[in-house]
Amino acid sequence: MATDSAAAAAAAAAAAVSDDFAIGCFLSIQTTFGDEFEAQVVAFDAPSNILVLQEGSKAGSRRNLRLLKADYIKHFTFLRHGEDPLDLSKCYIDLDTVRAREQSALRQAEAGAERIGVGVTSEAQSIFDALSKTLPVRWDKSIIVVLNEVRVSSPYVPESVSGGTSIANERVKKVLELERKKLQVRPTQ
């Protein structure tokens, strides 16, 4: 019997929350992150406690969808009831914007992947990451290429710096030495 009453209480609580987030209603929302915005409820998934919100209230205007876990809502105010936000005759998807966002995300993912050394130690990756904060770097297999001319080979110590002009070479050695001290990495012998 105790489980039946607990299940009933949970169902009642879910129903109450679901009524607060009725599809189509407009809310003014303040999140725990400090964001404040107005949006229309498109959907509410009670098991995951996630709201699908459509920002913007002008008919025919472009709108953004936002997924928000209800736990992150600090305060909300009911503004008004609205029409069904899923009325397909009124939906507009800007495919050019969607494709541009996709291409941007792909470029960012590719750039991020290029920054990860393949077959290198975590120490080498940490040195690469530290050097990349102050100098342009890229991987050439397991060699760190700095300023497109200076090469740093394993064990990634100032003595393993080669190539480039003497000025660039000395600068990389100095930055590498300082970064190794910051990372407190000891050279492997």
Side-chain angles (χ1 to χ4, degrees):
M1 287 301 225
T3 51
D4 289 339
S5 63
V17 170
S18 184
D19 289 343
D20 287 341
F21 301 131
I23 293 174
C25 70
F26 284 86
L27 304 174
S28 174
I29 298 173
Q30 182 181 20
T31 69
T32 57
F33 304 113
D35 293 341
E36 292 185 29
F37 60 94
E38 290 184 8
Q40 184 178 24
V41 177
V42 174
F44 175 66
D45 181 56
S48 65
N49 206 24
I50 292 179
L51 276 165
V52 179
L53 301 165
Q54 183 171 255
E55 293 182 89
S57 58
K58 296 178 185 173
S61 67
R62 292 184 184 179
R63 300 177 188 184
N64 289 323
L65 287 179
R66 181 185 284 209
L67 299 173
L68 179 65
K69 196 147 178 85
D71 299 340
Y72 296 115
I73 296 175
K74 183 177 182 180
H75 178 73
F76 73 92
T77 305
F78 174 82
L79 299 175
R80 67 186 178 283
H81 287 286
E83 295 177 15
D84 182 0
L86 298 177
D87 182 354
L88 295 179
S89 66
K90 296 180 182 177
C91 288
Y92 172 76
I93 298 174
D94 184 354
L95 291 179
D96 291 333
T97 301
V98 171
R99 288 184 185 115
R101 285 182 180 178
E102 176 188 31
Q103 289 302 315
S104 175
L106 287 172
R107 281 192 301 276
Q108 286 178 340
E110 288 169 356
E114 289 175 1
R115 301 183 54 75
I116 299 171
V118 177
V120 298
T121 64
S122 59
E123 172 186 282
Q125 187 65 52
S126 295
I127 290 170
F128 178 92
D129 294 341
L131 285 171
S132 71
K133 293 177 183 174
T134 57
L135 297 167
V137 295
R138 64 179 171 82
W139 284 106
D140 181 11
K141 297 180 184 161
S142 64
I143 297 171
I144 300 173
V145 180
V146 187
L147 300 167
N148 271 338
E149 58 180 303
V150 180
R151 301 172 72 76
V152 183
S153 305
S154 181
Y156 310 102
V157 293
E159 294 77 28
S160 49
V161 173
S162 63
T165 64
S166 60
I167 293 171
N169 194 300
E170 289 303 315
R171 177 180 169 158
V172 171
K173 283 182 180 180
K174 184 175 183 178
V175 172
L176 179 61
E177 188 176 332
L178 292 171
E179 292 300 341
R180 285 190 73 90
K181 283 180 183 176
K182 285 182 188 174
L183 294 171
Q184 297 178 353
V185 176
R186 297 177 189 204
T188 54
Q189 301 280 333

XYZ file of all heavy atoms in Angstrom, residues 107-155:
371
model
N 33.162 22.428 -38.672
C 34.489 23.087 -38.699
C 35.102 23.128 -37.302
O 36.294 22.878 -37.127
C 34.372 24.502 -39.278
C 34.285 24.536 -40.785
C 34.464 25.943 -41.340
N 33.487 26.888 -40.839
C 32.267 27.066 -41.346
N 31.874 26.356 -42.379
N 31.444 27.955 -40.832
N 34.293 23.440 -36.305
C 34.798 23.472 -34.925
C 35.245 22.088 -34.473
O 36.275 21.947 -33.820
C 33.729 24.006 -33.971
C 33.508 25.486 -34.081
C 32.396 25.970 -33.156
O 31.555 25.199 -32.703
N 32.380 27.270 -32.889
N 34.490 21.060 -34.836
C 34.854 19.689 -34.455
C 36.145 19.265 -35.149
O 37.016 18.640 -34.531
C 33.721 18.724 -34.803
N 36.294 19.621 -36.426
C 37.516 19.275 -37.155
C 38.720 20.008 -36.572
O 39.790 19.427 -36.413
C 37.358 19.607 -38.641
C 36.413 18.661 -39.362
C 36.037 19.141 -40.757
O 36.448 20.250 -41.164
O 35.318 18.388 -41.448
N 38.540 21.289 -36.257
C 39.641 22.057 -35.664
C 40.027 21.473 -34.310
O 41.211 21.372 -33.984
C 39.245 23.528 -35.511
N 39.043 21.068 -33.535
C 39.321 20.447 -32.242
C 40.049 19.124 -32.392
O 40.963 18.810 -31.634
N 39.653 18.347 -33.401
C 40.298 17.050 -33.630
C 41.748 17.228 -34.069
O 42.608 16.420 -33.707
C 39.520 16.261 -34.679
N 42.027 18.274 -34.838
C 43.404 18.529 -35.279
C 44.308 18.917 -34.119
O 45.519 18.803 -34.214
C 43.425 19.630 -36.344
C 42.852 19.173 -37.672
C 42.767 20.300 -38.684
O 43.178 21.442 -38.369
O 42.287 20.035 -39.800
N 43.743 19.355 -33.038
C 44.528 19.772 -31.873
C 44.857 18.597 -30.950
O 45.539 18.770 -29.961
C 43.782 20.853 -31.099
C 43.483 22.088 -31.945
C 42.808 23.192 -31.168
N 43.539 23.569 -29.988
C 44.655 24.293 -29.944
N 45.204 24.686 -31.071
N 45.219 24.610 -28.813
N 44.354 17.418 -31.285
C 44.619 16.244 -30.461
C 45.665 15.387 -31.150
O 45.478 14.944 -32.285
C 43.330 15.424 -30.235
C 42.292 16.297 -29.511
C 43.623 14.153 -29.461
C 40.921 15.676 -29.416
N 46.777 15.179 -30.463
C 47.856 14.363 -31.010
C 47.480 12.893 -31.018
O 46.871 12.392 -30.087
N 47.861 12.204 -32.093
C 47.567 10.781 -32.219
C 48.816 9.998 -31.833
O 49.903 10.235 -32.371
C 47.135 10.433 -33.660
C 46.889 8.939 -33.814
C 45.891 11.229 -34.037
N 48.672 9.096 -30.890
C 49.790 8.266 -30.466
C 50.822 8.995 -29.630
O 51.987 8.612 -29.592
N 50.395 10.078 -28.953
C 51.314 10.823 -28.097
C 50.887 10.643 -26.641
O 49.751 10.304 -26.357
C 51.370 12.328 -28.458
C 51.878 12.524 -29.874
C 50.020 13.000 -28.281
N 51.807 10.899 -25.750
C 51.511 10.759 -24.327
C 50.651 11.923 -23.843
O 50.553 12.958 -24.513
C 52.814 10.733 -23.502
O 53.472 12.001 -23.658
C 53.739 9.605 -23.951
N 50.077 11.755 -22.680
C 49.281 12.849 -22.105
C 50.185 14.037 -21.780
O 49.762 15.189 -21.857
C 48.526 12.383 -20.864
O 49.412 11.921 -19.885
N 51.445 13.753 -21.443
C 52.416 14.818 -21.192
C 52.632 15.639 -22.458
O 52.619 16.877 -22.420
C 53.744 14.207 -20.734
C 54.882 15.210 -20.628
C 56.203 14.522 -20.305
O 56.389 14.176 -19.141
O 57.008 14.348 -21.225
N 52.790 14.961 -23.596
C 52.980 15.658 -24.876
C 51.756 16.509 -25.204
O 51.892 17.657 -25.649
C 53.250 14.655 -25.988
N 50.551 15.958 -24.977
C 49.334 16.717 -25.248
C 49.233 17.928 -24.332
O 48.840 19.006 -24.768
C 48.095 15.828 -25.101
C 46.805 16.505 -25.525
C 46.765 16.841 -27.004
O 47.006 15.988 -27.836
N 46.436 18.079 -27.323
N 49.623 17.775 -23.076
C 49.596 18.914 -22.141
C 50.561 19.999 -22.574
O 50.241 21.196 -22.491
C 49.953 18.443 -20.727
O 48.973 17.572 -20.239
N 51.721 19.604 -23.047
C 52.701 20.592 -23.535
C 52.155 21.289 -24.774
O 52.246 22.515 -24.899
C 54.057 19.911 -23.801
C 54.684 19.505 -22.459
C 54.990 20.824 -24.588
C 55.902 18.617 -22.582
N 51.574 20.518 -25.694
C 50.974 21.101 -26.892
C 49.903 22.123 -26.500
O 49.888 23.242 -27.009
C 50.356 19.995 -27.757
C 49.670 20.508 -28.993
C 50.362 20.609 -30.185
C 48.332 20.895 -28.963
C 49.723 21.086 -31.333
C 47.697 21.373 -30.090
C 48.397 21.466 -31.288
N 49.006 21.724 -25.597
C 47.928 22.621 -25.165
C 48.475 23.892 -24.523
O 47.970 24.992 -24.767
C 46.994 21.903 -24.193
C 46.226 20.758 -24.853
O 46.120 20.730 -26.093
O 45.736 19.887 -24.104
N 49.521 23.752 -23.717
C 50.122 24.917 -23.062
C 50.780 25.833 -24.089
O 50.631 27.059 -24.032
C 51.131 24.465 -22.018
N 51.522 25.246 -25.045
C 52.174 26.051 -26.088
C 51.136 26.767 -26.954
O 51.353 27.901 -27.386
C 53.060 25.168 -26.973
C 54.378 24.702 -26.391
C 55.027 23.669 -27.302
C 55.324 25.881 -26.177
N 50.001 26.106 -27.197
C 48.987 26.688 -28.079
C 48.344 27.943 -27.494
O 47.723 28.713 -28.213
C 47.901 25.654 -28.393
O 47.103 25.411 -27.262
N 48.503 28.146 -26.189
C 47.948 29.350 -25.573
C 48.736 30.598 -25.923
O 48.218 31.707 -25.860
C 47.890 29.182 -24.050
C 46.900 28.123 -23.618
C 46.931 27.935 -22.120
C 45.995 26.812 -21.723
N 46.093 26.489 -20.303
N 50.026 30.408 -26.281
C 50.872 31.576 -26.561
C 51.416 31.598 -27.981
O 51.829 32.656 -28.458
C 52.060 31.638 -25.582
O 52.790 30.412 -25.674
C 51.589 31.867 -24.166
N 51.451 30.444 -28.660
C 52.027 30.369 -30.004
C 51.136 29.521 -30.912
O 50.463 28.603 -30.443
C 53.422 29.718 -29.941
C 54.500 30.453 -29.148
C 55.708 29.536 -28.928
C 54.921 31.720 -29.873
N 51.179 29.797 -32.228
C 50.427 28.937 -33.145
C 51.137 27.586 -33.283
O 52.326 27.540 -33.598
C 50.430 29.718 -34.461
C 51.572 30.665 -34.372
C 51.793 30.937 -32.911
N 50.416 26.507 -33.035
C 51.003 25.167 -33.081
C 50.088 24.216 -33.846
O 48.895 24.460 -33.984
C 51.248 24.600 -31.664
C 52.278 25.406 -30.914
C 49.963 24.517 -30.867
N 50.689 23.118 -34.327
C 49.937 22.036 -34.963
C 50.752 20.762 -34.803
O 51.935 20.807 -34.484
C 49.656 22.324 -36.428
C 50.896 22.421 -37.296
C 50.532 22.699 -38.766
N 51.724 22.998 -39.534
C 52.556 22.084 -40.039
N 52.311 20.806 -39.861
N 53.618 22.447 -40.728
N 50.078 19.644 -34.993
C 50.747 18.358 -34.904
C 51.218 17.920 -36.291
O 50.520 18.107 -37.286
C 49.814 17.278 -34.362
C 49.569 17.353 -32.897
C 48.424 17.786 -32.282
C 50.463 16.971 -31.844
N 48.561 17.701 -30.920
C 49.805 17.191 -30.631
C 51.756 16.468 -31.819
C 50.393 16.931 -29.400
C 52.342 16.201 -30.597
C 51.665 16.433 -29.407
N 52.396 17.317 -36.372
C 52.870 16.607 -37.551
C 53.266 15.229 -37.034
O 54.392 15.033 -36.571
C 54.060 17.311 -38.194
C 54.566 16.594 -39.442
O 53.870 15.678 -39.918
O 55.656 16.946 -39.922
N 52.282 14.322 -37.034
C 52.408 13.006 -36.399
C 52.658 13.227 -34.909
O 51.786 13.744 -34.233
C 53.461 12.159 -37.080
C 53.082 11.857 -38.524
C 54.096 11.024 -39.227
C 53.642 10.873 -40.684
N 54.688 10.481 -41.547
N 53.851 12.879 -34.391
C 54.107 13.067 -32.959
C 55.002 14.274 -32.683
O 55.468 14.471 -31.567
C 54.736 11.811 -32.360
O 56.003 11.592 -32.953
N 55.213 15.092 -33.691
C 56.072 16.274 -33.561
C 55.194 17.519 -33.478
O 54.256 17.688 -34.263
C 57.040 16.379 -34.753
C 57.970 15.168 -34.761
C 57.828 17.680 -34.716
C 58.814 15.047 -36.002
N 55.515 18.390 -32.530
C 54.793 19.654 -32.401
C 55.482 20.664 -33.307
O 56.694 20.901 -33.192
C 54.807 20.166 -30.940
C 54.145 19.147 -30.008
C 54.106 21.524 -30.850
C 54.269 19.489 -28.528
N 54.729 21.247 -34.230
C 55.263 22.268 -35.134
C 54.766 23.615 -34.630
O 53.570 23.852 -34.522
C 54.816 22.033 -36.591
C 55.380 23.100 -37.509
C 55.213 20.638 -37.059
N 55.729 24.488 -34.327
C 55.407 25.800 -33.768
C 55.781 26.867 -34.787
O 56.848 26.800 -35.407
C 56.194 26.036 -32.451
C 55.737 27.319 -31.782
C 56.040 24.856 -31.499
N 54.922 27.847 -34.953
C 55.155 28.959 -35.888
C 55.395 28.460 -37.314
O 56.069 29.106 -38.107
C 56.341 29.817 -35.425
C 56.222 30.463 -34.050
C 57.569 30.997 -33.583
C 55.188 31.590 -34.096
N 54.865 27.290 -37.636
C 55.011 26.669 -38.954
C 56.445 26.433 -39.389
O 56.703 26.214 -40.567
C 54.275 27.466 -40.040
C 52.848 27.020 -40.199
O 52.489 25.909 -39.838
N 52.028 27.902 -40.738
N 57.404 26.495 -38.471
C 58.794 26.276 -38.857
C 59.624 25.563 -37.800
O 60.544 24.838 -38.135
C 59.460 27.609 -39.230
C 59.442 28.659 -38.118
C 60.112 29.949 -38.523
O 61.289 29.913 -38.912
O 59.445 30.997 -38.453
N 59.311 25.738 -36.550
C 60.100 25.139 -35.477
C 59.445 23.821 -35.070
O 58.232 23.752 -34.906
C 60.207 26.097 -34.269
C 61.024 25.476 -33.159
C 60.798 27.428 -34.694
N 60.263 22.768 -34.907
C 59.750 21.441 -34.569
C 60.232 21.035 -33.177
O 61.389 21.210 -32.845
C 60.224 20.434 -35.615
C 59.742 20.839 -37.018
C 60.348 19.988 -38.117
N 59.848 18.620 -38.182
C 58.675 18.270 -38.670
N 57.845 19.183 -39.119
N 58.307 17.008 -38.704
N 59.292 20.494 -32.385
C 59.628 20.012 -31.051
C 59.321 18.514 -31.030
O 58.178 18.106 -31.183
C 58.803 20.736 -29.956
C 59.227 20.268 -28.578
C 58.927 22.243 -30.086
N 60.365 17.720 -30.851
C 60.226 16.263 -30.853
C 60.207 15.738 -29.426
O 60.607 16.417 -28.486
C 61.400 15.629 -31.603
O 61.496 16.173 -32.897
N 59.799 14.476 -29.300
C 59.824 13.808 -28.000
C 61.263 13.772 -27.509
O 62.167 13.567 -28.309
C 59.277 12.395 -28.162
O 59.256 11.730 -26.936
N 61.543 14.069 -26.264
C 60.673 14.144 -25.085
C 60.156 15.551 -24.788
O 59.810 15.842 -23.649
C 61.573 13.641 -23.968
C 62.933 14.110 -24.347
C 62.961 14.023 -25.853
